Amino acid sequence: MIHGVIELSLQRSVKEFPRFFDRLIYEIGGHRFSLNEIEHGILRGNRRHPYRLFRPFRRRDPRIVFAATPIDPGFHFALVCGARSCPPIGFYEAEQIDFQLQLAAASFVNSPQVRVLPGENTLSSQ
C-alpha cells in the first residue's frame, strides 16, 4: 500500500519533486518505509545516506530488525533509481534471489556502460 501518494506527471526527472525518495511511502508488514529507508535502512544495513547526518533507523525504531546483516553486495546491482547508470528494473523472487542477484551483477558488469579497469582493480560506469 502506498501512503502520501504523489500525483506524478514527470516530464524529465524525479528531481522535479523535492525529496521524492523520502516522500513516497510504502506500508509493508504494518510498517511505513520511504524509498530512502528501504535502500539505506534495510538493504544497506541501516547505513547513513552519504548526504545525511543520521542513519535511517534509530536504536529504538522497531523497523531496525529489517536491516540486512550482513549486507549482500548483490543488492547494489538490483537497486534502481532511474539513472542511466542504474541496472534495468527487475522483479526478484525470494526463492531465487541469490541466482537473480548474481545474474543482475553479471549483466551490469558486462554491459556496454561499464568499463573494467583491471590495473586499478575497479569498475567505471558511464
Side-chain angles (χ1 to χ4, degrees):
M1 175 182 284
I2 302 174
H3 287 278
V5 176
I6 303 169
E7 181 77 26
L8 293 180
S9 59
L10 292 175
Q11 301 299 312
R12 295 191 176 169
S13 166
V14 297
K15 291 180 181 179
E16 296 170 29
F17 295 92
R19 298 180 42 92
F20 175 85
F21 295 101
D22 293 310
R23 291 173 55 194
L24 193 60
I25 305 292
Y26 289 89
E27 185 174 305
I28 305 168
H31 299 280
R32 296 177 69 183
F33 298 94
S34 71
L35 296 175
N36 269 330
E37 289 167 337
I38 292 171
E39 179 179 355
H40 299 283
I42 296 174
L43 298 177
R44 294 192 170 159
N46 202 35
R47 296 288 193 269
R48 184 179 63 79
H49 185 287
Y51 303 113
R52 305 249 170 115
L53 295 175
F54 303 105
R55 296 172 184 232
F57 308 138
R58 304 291 172 96
R59 275 190 210 125
R60 296 180 191 206
D61 189 324
R63 300 172 302 165
I64 200 165
V65 299
F66 299 108
T69 55
I71 298 171
D72 184 333
F75 288 156
H76 294 283
F77 298 103
L79 295 174
V80 177
C81 70
R84 286 184 204 156
S85 61
C86 279
I89 295 172
F91 179 78
Y92 297 88
E93 300 174 28
E95 304 81 35
Q96 298 183 1
I97 191 70
D98 291 328
F99 171 75
Q100 290 174 315
L101 289 176
Q102 288 176 354
L103 186 61
S107 295
F108 180 75
V109 169
N110 293 311
S111 73
Q113 291 86 11
V114 173
R115 293 182 323 161
V116 178
L117 307 171
E120 298 175 31
N121 205 20
T122 62
L123 298 174
S124 170
S125 65
Q126 300 171 342

Short mmCIF file of all heavy atoms in Angstrom, two decimals, residues 41-63:
data_model
loop_
_atom_site.label_atom_id
_atom_site.label_comp_id
_atom_site.label_asym_id
_atom_site.label_seq_id
_atom_site.Cartn_x
_atom_site.Cartn_y
_atom_site.Cartn_z
N GLY A 41 18.20 1.96 4.99
CA GLY A 41 17.87 1.33 6.26
C GLY A 41 17.83 -0.18 6.18
O GLY A 41 18.39 -0.87 7.04
N ILE A 42 17.19 -0.71 5.14
CA ILE A 42 17.05 -2.16 5.01
C ILE A 42 18.19 -2.76 4.19
O ILE A 42 18.99 -3.55 4.69
CB ILE A 42 15.69 -2.53 4.40
CG1 ILE A 42 14.56 -2.10 5.33
CG2 ILE A 42 15.61 -4.04 4.14
CD1 ILE A 42 13.17 -2.30 4.76
N LEU A 43 18.27 -2.41 2.91
CA LEU A 43 19.21 -3.08 2.01
C LEU A 43 20.67 -2.78 2.29
O LEU A 43 21.54 -3.60 2.01
CB LEU A 43 18.86 -2.73 0.56
CG LEU A 43 17.47 -3.18 0.11
CD1 LEU A 43 17.20 -2.72 -1.32
CD2 LEU A 43 17.31 -4.68 0.24
N ARG A 44 20.96 -1.62 2.83
CA ARG A 44 22.35 -1.27 3.14
C ARG A 44 22.64 -1.36 4.64
O ARG A 44 23.59 -0.75 5.13
CB ARG A 44 22.67 0.11 2.59
CG ARG A 44 22.63 0.11 1.07
CD ARG A 44 23.20 1.32 0.46
NE ARG A 44 23.31 1.10 -0.98
CZ ARG A 44 23.39 2.05 -1.87
NH1 ARG A 44 23.41 3.31 -1.48
NH2 ARG A 44 23.48 1.77 -3.14
N GLY A 45 21.84 -2.14 5.35
CA GLY A 45 22.13 -2.43 6.75
C GLY A 45 22.08 -1.25 7.69
O GLY A 45 22.90 -1.15 8.60
N ASN A 46 21.13 -0.34 7.46
CA ASN A 46 20.97 0.87 8.27
C ASN A 46 22.21 1.76 8.22
O ASN A 46 22.65 2.31 9.22
CB ASN A 46 20.59 0.55 9.72
CG ASN A 46 19.91 1.72 10.39
OD1 ASN A 46 19.18 2.46 9.75
ND2 ASN A 46 20.17 1.90 11.66
N ARG A 47 22.74 1.90 7.03
CA ARG A 47 23.88 2.81 6.82
C ARG A 47 23.37 4.21 6.54
O ARG A 47 22.33 4.41 5.91
CB ARG A 47 24.72 2.35 5.62
CG ARG A 47 25.37 1.00 5.78
CD ARG A 47 26.52 1.09 6.77
NE ARG A 47 27.37 -0.07 6.74
CZ ARG A 47 27.21 -1.14 7.51
NH1 ARG A 47 26.20 -1.22 8.34
NH2 ARG A 47 28.05 -2.15 7.44
N ARG A 48 24.12 5.17 6.97
CA ARG A 48 23.79 6.58 6.75
C ARG A 48 23.86 6.89 5.26
O ARG A 48 24.76 6.46 4.55
CB ARG A 48 24.80 7.44 7.53
CG ARG A 48 24.55 8.90 7.48
CD ARG A 48 25.60 9.64 8.29
NE ARG A 48 26.94 9.49 7.78
CZ ARG A 48 27.44 10.16 6.74
NH1 ARG A 48 26.69 11.04 6.11
NH2 ARG A 48 28.67 9.97 6.32
N HIS A 49 22.88 7.62 4.76
CA HIS A 49 22.89 8.12 3.39
C HIS A 49 24.11 9.03 3.26
O HIS A 49 24.43 9.77 4.19
CB HIS A 49 21.60 8.91 3.13
CG HIS A 49 21.43 9.37 1.72
ND1 HIS A 49 22.16 10.40 1.19
CD2 HIS A 49 20.59 8.96 0.75
CE1 HIS A 49 21.79 10.60 -0.07
NE2 HIS A 49 20.84 9.73 -0.36
N PRO A 50 24.80 9.04 2.13
CA PRO A 50 26.02 9.85 2.01
C PRO A 50 25.83 11.33 2.30
O PRO A 50 26.76 12.01 2.72
CB PRO A 50 26.44 9.66 0.55
CG PRO A 50 25.70 8.49 0.05
CD PRO A 50 24.50 8.29 0.92
N TYR A 51 24.62 11.85 2.10
CA TYR A 51 24.41 13.29 2.30
C TYR A 51 23.56 13.58 3.53
O TYR A 51 22.97 14.65 3.63
CB TYR A 51 23.75 13.90 1.06
CG TYR A 51 24.57 13.67 -0.18
CD1 TYR A 51 24.10 12.85 -1.20
CD2 TYR A 51 25.82 14.25 -0.31
CE1 TYR A 51 24.87 12.63 -2.34
CE2 TYR A 51 26.59 14.03 -1.44
CZ TYR A 51 26.11 13.22 -2.45
OH TYR A 51 26.86 13.00 -3.56
N ARG A 52 23.52 12.65 4.46
CA ARG A 52 22.72 12.84 5.67
C ARG A 52 23.58 12.64 6.91
O ARG A 52 24.59 11.94 6.87
CB ARG A 52 21.56 11.84 5.71
CG ARG A 52 20.69 11.90 4.46
CD ARG A 52 19.32 12.45 4.78
NE ARG A 52 18.59 12.73 3.57
CZ ARG A 52 17.50 12.10 3.20
NH1 ARG A 52 17.00 11.15 3.96
NH2 ARG A 52 16.87 12.45 2.11
N LEU A 53 23.15 13.22 8.02
CA LEU A 53 23.90 13.10 9.26
C LEU A 53 23.59 11.83 10.04
O LEU A 53 24.41 11.35 10.80
CB LEU A 53 23.61 14.32 10.16
CG LEU A 53 24.08 15.66 9.63
CD1 LEU A 53 23.62 16.78 10.57
CD2 LEU A 53 25.58 15.68 9.47
N PHE A 54 22.37 11.30 9.88
CA PHE A 54 21.95 10.19 10.72
C PHE A 54 21.56 8.96 9.90
O PHE A 54 21.22 9.08 8.73
CB PHE A 54 20.75 10.60 11.59
CG PHE A 54 21.03 11.79 12.44
CD1 PHE A 54 20.51 13.04 12.12
CD2 PHE A 54 21.82 11.68 13.58
CE1 PHE A 54 20.77 14.15 12.89
CE2 PHE A 54 22.09 12.78 14.36
CZ PHE A 54 21.57 14.02 14.03
N ARG A 55 21.58 7.83 10.56
CA ARG A 55 21.11 6.59 9.95
C ARG A 55 19.58 6.64 9.83
O ARG A 55 18.93 7.34 10.61
CB ARG A 55 21.50 5.39 10.81
CG ARG A 55 23.00 5.22 10.92
CD ARG A 55 23.33 4.15 11.94
NE ARG A 55 24.75 4.07 12.10
CZ ARG A 55 25.44 2.95 12.01
NH1 ARG A 55 24.83 1.81 11.84
NH2 ARG A 55 26.74 2.96 12.14
N PRO A 56 19.01 5.88 8.90
CA PRO A 56 17.55 5.91 8.74
C PRO A 56 16.78 5.46 9.98
O PRO A 56 15.76 6.05 10.33
CB PRO A 56 17.28 4.95 7.58
CG PRO A 56 18.57 4.85 6.86
CD PRO A 56 19.64 5.07 7.88
N PHE A 57 17.25 4.41 10.65
CA PHE A 57 16.54 3.89 11.82
C PHE A 57 17.37 4.11 13.07
O PHE A 57 18.53 3.72 13.13
CB PHE A 57 16.26 2.39 11.67
CG PHE A 57 15.57 2.01 10.38
CD1 PHE A 57 15.97 0.88 9.69
CD2 PHE A 57 14.54 2.76 9.87
CE1 PHE A 57 15.34 0.51 8.51
CE2 PHE A 57 13.90 2.41 8.69
CZ PHE A 57 14.31 1.28 8.00
N ARG A 58 16.76 4.71 14.08
CA ARG A 58 17.43 4.90 15.36
C ARG A 58 17.37 3.61 16.16
O ARG A 58 16.65 2.68 15.80
CB ARG A 58 16.76 6.04 16.14
CG ARG A 58 16.69 7.36 15.40
CD ARG A 58 18.09 7.96 15.26
NE ARG A 58 18.10 9.11 14.39
CZ ARG A 58 18.01 10.36 14.81
NH1 ARG A 58 17.90 10.64 16.08
NH2 ARG A 58 18.05 11.35 13.94
N ARG A 59 18.07 3.53 17.28
CA ARG A 59 18.15 2.32 18.09
C ARG A 59 16.79 1.73 18.46
O ARG A 59 16.60 0.54 18.45
CB ARG A 59 18.92 2.58 19.38
CG ARG A 59 20.39 2.46 19.20
CD ARG A 59 21.08 2.51 20.55
NE ARG A 59 22.38 3.10 20.34
CZ ARG A 59 22.84 4.13 20.97
NH1 ARG A 59 22.14 4.70 21.92
NH2 ARG A 59 24.02 4.61 20.69
N ARG A 60 15.85 2.56 18.83
CA ARG A 60 14.56 2.06 19.32
C ARG A 60 13.49 1.97 18.23
O ARG A 60 12.34 1.67 18.52
CB ARG A 60 14.07 2.95 20.45
CG ARG A 60 15.03 2.84 21.62
CD ARG A 60 14.61 3.69 22.75
NE ARG A 60 15.73 3.70 23.70
CZ ARG A 60 15.60 3.90 24.96
NH1 ARG A 60 14.42 4.12 25.48
NH2 ARG A 60 16.65 3.90 25.75
N ASP A 61 13.86 2.23 17.01
CA ASP A 61 12.91 2.14 15.90
C ASP A 61 12.62 0.66 15.65
O ASP A 61 13.53 -0.12 15.39
CB ASP A 61 13.53 2.77 14.65
CG ASP A 61 12.55 2.92 13.50
OD1 ASP A 61 11.70 2.03 13.31
OD2 ASP A 61 12.65 3.92 12.77
N PRO A 62 11.37 0.22 15.71
CA PRO A 62 11.06 -1.20 15.53
C PRO A 62 11.41 -1.73 14.13
O PRO A 62 11.59 -2.93 13.95
CB PRO A 62 9.55 -1.29 15.78
CG PRO A 62 9.04 0.10 15.62
CD PRO A 62 10.17 1.02 15.97
N ARG A 63 11.58 -0.84 13.17
CA ARG A 63 11.91 -1.26 11.81
C ARG A 63 13.37 -1.68 11.66
O ARG A 63 13.75 -2.28 10.66
CB ARG A 63 11.59 -0.14 10.83
CG ARG A 63 10.12 0.26 10.86
CD ARG A 63 9.85 1.49 10.04
NE ARG A 63 10.65 2.60 10.53
CZ ARG A 63 10.84 3.73 9.85
NH1 ARG A 63 10.29 3.91 8.67
NH2 ARG A 63 11.57 4.69 10.35
#
